[in-house]
Amino acid sequence: MTETLTPPVTGSPLAVLFEIVAASARLTLEEERDGAETAAADHVYAAYPDTLGRVVEHDAWTGYPALRDNSVQSSAVAHLGDGLWVHHTITAADADHHDALTLLVPCTCRYGYVPSLLLDVTDLLELLQELRPTGGRAVHRGDTGGPYCAGIPAA
């Protein structure tokens, strides 16, 4: 006689399958945060080994769980100093998953941030070249600055 480790089947086969999927898909918030931090660190070390991979430590990432109601994926951020942040998430488009890395740059007016999506290391190097003369701040173009900052407001 063998022991059964699974509970007896109750309900329709489809209902049982739904229960199995629901039980296996439940991640705790901490698991989601950890997964987001690991994914961010892995992407940075693989795609930016000689730039961000050299300056962002694995434990520098802070993960955030997904927001199910708003369809926002889990993500992670790391502070680069002087108000700069790097944000990582994984986007899902047409069943393909892609790493999305965004540099959040403070404005010269200090009232907001300008996000810059980084597709590869070339994008990062070009952006850093632009930011170097301003000490890592985004210059307003066609904007008077001050309370009329065109960037994302600082929290």
Side-chain angles (χ1 to χ4, degrees):
M1 189 156 89
T2 61
E3 274 188 60
T4 304
L5 298 176
T6 58
V9 175
T10 58
S12 73
L14 183 58
V16 172
L17 290 173
F18 284 155
E19 287 177 27
I20 291 169
V21 168
S24 67
R26 290 185 196 128
L27 292 177
T28 66
L29 294 179
E30 191 60 35
E31 289 171 330
E32 282 192 47
R33 287 183 188 103
D34 289 345
E37 291 168 5
T38 300
D42 289 349
H43 176 66
V44 164
Y45 296 143
Y48 302 85
D50 297 325
T51 53
L52 292 172
R54 290 178 54 193
V55 298
V56 181
E57 297 293 327
H58 181 77
D59 62 351
W61 293 96
T62 301
Y64 295 92
L67 300 176
R68 307 250 187 284
D69 295 340
N70 297 324
S71 299
V72 175
Q73 299 296 322
S74 58
S75 63
V77 296
H79 188 244
L80 300 177
D82 297 323
L84 272 82
W85 295 82
V86 62
H87 176 271
H88 175 270
T89 192
I90 296 177
T91 62
D94 300 328
D96 288 333
H97 298 284
H98 301 282
D99 290 281
L101 199 64
T102 304
L103 193 64
L104 303 171
V105 181
C107 299
T108 53
C109 72
R110 302 186 189 271
Y111 284 101
Y113 283 84
V114 175
S116 294
L117 181 64
L118 304 174
L119 299 178
D120 55 28
V121 72
T122 302
D123 283 351
L124 173 63
L125 294 175
E126 288 174 3
L127 181 58
L128 291 174
Q129 191 68 21
E130 280 182 37
L131 297 174
R132 192 170 183 197
T134 61
R137 304 239 176 236
V139 177
H140 291 281
R141 290 185 173 90
D143 181 286
T144 59
Y148 306 105
C149 174
I152 297 170

